[in-house]
Amino acid sequence: MDACGGRSVGNSTGAAASPAAGITFPQVRALVLDSMHATVERQIGNVIQTERHLPAWPGAWAVVRGVAHRLGESIESVDPVRLLPRWDDRPILLTHGAADVVDRPSDSLELNLAAAEAAGLSFESHVCEGAGHGRVVEVCEEAWTGWVQTFVGAIPR
């Protein structure tokens, strides 16, 4: 996550942390979120499945519960899909790779968009064909730059 000029730019887990930071710090005037998961449990499950070639569940559930036990609180409380409804009228840009297997669009982007829409948030989204997890900026560099410049240019000063 990189806070720049009142905008928070985050990729992957940094993107997932950005809504919490923005809720806490009202000087963040907009969010640019790339490859953001909707729930940590689903993300961990996808990593277990794609990188370790093991069944996603019950492993993901056990990791999330174990971390919660160790911390003494639920890490699911900061899931983006739970935080987005607490966001306000500040704009959000979501970008995602169509070939993302860690945060599959159906498990992440679609759920986050549904949460943003249900909350009546000001948002836009773009999908980069062929980009895997966290690779939108590389695979669709020119398009991503254009999306961000247009988005940032429309933010009231």
Side-chain angles (χ1 to χ4, degrees):
M1 181 176 73
D2 176 32
C4 51
R7 294 169 296 276
S8 178
V9 179
N11 177 279
S12 187
T13 303
S18 293
I23 289 168
T24 305
F25 299 103
Q27 60 268 41
V28 174
R29 296 181 310 165
L31 297 175
V32 176
L33 309 170
D34 178 57
S35 302
M36 181 174 76
H37 64 264
T39 68
V40 70
E41 184 176 301
R42 176 64 69 170
Q43 182 189 46
I44 290 169
N46 289 345
V47 169
I48 291 170
Q49 188 176 41
T50 61
E51 295 183 11
R52 301 289 183 224
H53 307 291
L54 296 169
W57 284 267
W61 180 85
V63 169
V64 169
R65 299 306 173 272
V67 169
H69 177 73
R70 181 81 171 147
L71 293 175
E73 60 185 89
S74 171
I75 61 172
E76 295 167 301
S77 65
V78 293
D79 280 342
V81 76
R82 293 178 188 217
L83 290 177
L84 287 172
R86 294 179 45 205
W87 193 247
D88 53 27
D89 62 346
R90 295 170 287 172
I92 301 171
L93 171 64
L94 296 112
T95 62
H96 213 90
D100 189 337
V101 295
V102 172
D103 290 318
R104 296 175 184 120
S106 60
D107 294 338
S108 55
L109 179 63
E110 292 176 19
L111 297 177
N112 287 325
L113 292 176
E117 188 170 330
L121 302 180
S122 172
F123 69 92
E124 66 178 85
S125 69
H126 299 279
V127 174
C128 173
E129 294 301 322
H133 185 68
R135 300 291 181 236
V136 173
V137 175
E138 297 166 13
V139 175
C140 293
E141 180 180 0
E142 197 171 307
W144 186 87
T145 300
W147 299 332
V148 172
Q149 286 177 341
T150 301
F151 175 76
V152 169
I155 299 169
R157 299 251 173 230

